[in-house]
Amino acid sequence: MFDALTDKLGKVFDGLTGRGALSEKDVNEALREIRVALLEADVALPVVKKFIDDVRPKAIGENVIKSIKPGQLVVKIVHDQLVETLGGDEEPPPLKIDSPPAVIMMAGLQGSGKTTTTGKLAKRLKEVERKKVLVASLDVRRPAAMEQLRVLAQQVGVDALPIVEGQLPPDIARRAIQAAKFGGYDVIILDTAGRTTLDDQMMNEAADIAAIANPNETLLVADSLTGQDAVETAKRFHERLPLTGLVLTRMDGDGRGGAALSMRSITGLPIKFAGVSEKIDGLEAFAPERVAGRILGMGDIVALVE
């Protein structure tokens, strides 16, 4: 991920760090190139504008211009702003799963990787958090989705709510919560239906389920490969649902990375997890510091300045 952005930023910073002194003109020229690189990486325009506006006064300040290694200091300033844009120094807040049975509702468009992510998250909760997990598919329009989740649950060693033909999603949600209570489960994950595009029927159904389930967490699963579309999806869902966090899938395949840089800034929601491979264990806690380091590919310089 971020390959194209890393290459472009690397060239900008090579030009800066190779000089013994920097003028304000040099820094402004570099910032113009960084702006173009971010836009080409599909980062949303308001996010790019704010990023450059935040970096500029720090990068052309007296401390930078008069420092012994000004180029390296600019790298550090850009790195710190990337971390801030992605969510700040701290790890995303942990999932609120302390009151059993905690309900996690998964939302997102069809094809975003929602069902697969449900299986990955169930595995993580079982193995890392040592929780007893039940998963339930509410996607009655796509019977293959219900079967897919049942198979995934079997693979990761968690229970799946038995499929009852003809039940509507709200009824499945009620049955799932009852089963979780009677079965002594710590966590239940509700995999809601998606569509290929946003529509009112899907949103109304998701809102109804949220009202019934009163979820502890409502996670939006978004495909990072869709770039600006993923950002728009997040905005639309957040207007209708009480989202608590984001999960970005296919981050291993996104050479641009614009969705990751835009979504936190535009929605204000933490990116809690990143899907990093097709494998069932390919789900990582999202760490802004680590991702910023990967984008810049200059961890040695950042560490040196620190």
Side-chain angles (χ1 to χ4, degrees):
M1 186 187 185
F2 305 116
D3 294 346
L5 181 56
T6 300
D7 287 346
K8 288 188 175 72
L9 292 180
K11 287 171 186 170
V12 175
F13 292 133
D14 284 345
L16 287 178
T17 55
R19 300 181 192 181
L22 288 180
S23 66
E24 187 172 324
K25 183 183 174 187
D26 294 330
V27 175
N28 279 323
E29 181 59 38
L31 289 177
R32 271 194 295 274
E33 291 178 35
I34 291 170
R35 182 178 186 276
V36 171
L38 290 171
L39 289 171
E40 288 179 352
D42 214 11
V43 181
L45 181 59
V47 179
V48 175
K49 188 176 184 307
K50 183 179 185 307
F51 187 93
I52 298 299
D53 287 348
D54 288 342
V55 167
R56 178 173 277 112
K58 300 171 190 171
I60 62 174
E62 205 169 298
N63 289 342
V64 173
I65 303 299
K66 292 187 175 179
S67 67
I68 299 171
K69 296 281 188 183
Q72 293 183 356
L73 206 50
V74 173
V75 173
K76 174 69 166 61
I77 289 166
V78 172
H79 169 271
D80 290 350
Q81 193 59 43
L82 279 173
V83 173
E84 186 62 32
T85 303
L86 289 163
D89 292 329
E90 297 179 8
E91 297 281 322
L95 295 175
K96 300 186 193 81
I97 51 173
D98 293 334
S99 52
V103 180
I104 300 176
M105 179 173 162
M106 309 293 278
L109 293 180
Q110 188 176 314
S112 62
K114 186 160 38 67
T115 301
T116 304
T117 300
T118 299
K120 290 178 177 182
L121 182 57
K123 183 178 193 296
R124 184 182 179 88
L125 290 172
K126 173 181 176 252
E127 295 179 359
V128 178
E129 305 284 343
R130 299 282 185 252
K131 300 295 185 184
K132 184 181 179 184
V133 182
L134 176 69
V135 298
S137 175
L138 280 62
D139 192 347
V140 297
R141 288 173 192 78
R142 201 167 62 92
M146 303 183 102
E147 180 61 19
Q148 181 190 358
L149 187 60
R150 188 193 67 76
V151 171
L152 283 169
Q154 202 170 30
Q155 282 178 14
V156 303
V158 304
D159 294 331
L161 187 75
I163 299 168
V164 175
E165 296 292 333
Q167 265 198 327
L168 295 173
D171 298 324
I172 299 173
R174 292 188 186 95
R175 179 165 61 93
I177 291 165
Q178 283 294 102
K181 287 177 181 174
F182 292 141
Y185 290 92
D186 299 308
V187 181
I188 174 167
I189 308 178
L190 302 177
D191 180 23
T192 63
R195 300 277 200 289
T196 52
T197 56
L198 291 160
D199 66 39
D200 287 337
Q201 188 180 1
M202 177 183 68
M203 289 298 192
N204 291 338
E205 182 180 290
D208 288 345
I209 291 165
I212 291 165
N214 190 23
N216 302 64
E217 296 276 355
T218 305
L219 303 179
L220 177 71
V221 182
D223 184 349
S224 63
L225 290 176
T226 58
Q228 293 287 313
D229 288 343
V231 178
E232 185 59 29
T233 298
K235 280 173 63 181
R236 293 278 300 280
F237 266 99
H238 198 30
E239 287 165 3
R240 295 290 301 273
L241 278 178
L243 296 177
T244 58
L246 306 168
V247 182
L248 285 181
T249 60
R250 299 188 179 94
M251 279 189 67
D252 55 321
D254 184 5
R256 294 174 301 175
L261 279 164
S262 301
M263 288 180 102
R264 165 70 171 149
S265 198
I266 286 177
T267 65
L269 293 165
I271 303 171
K272 296 208 173 187
F273 298 100
V276 293
S277 77
E278 292 293 323
K279 294 177 182 174
I280 197 66
D281 58 355
L283 187 72
E284 292 181 355
F286 189 83
E289 181 90 32
R290 192 166 67 236
V291 174
R294 281 165 61 189
I295 291 172
L296 285 187
M298 291 191 168
D300 51 345
I301 287 179
V302 173
L304 183 67
V305 173
E306 286 176 343

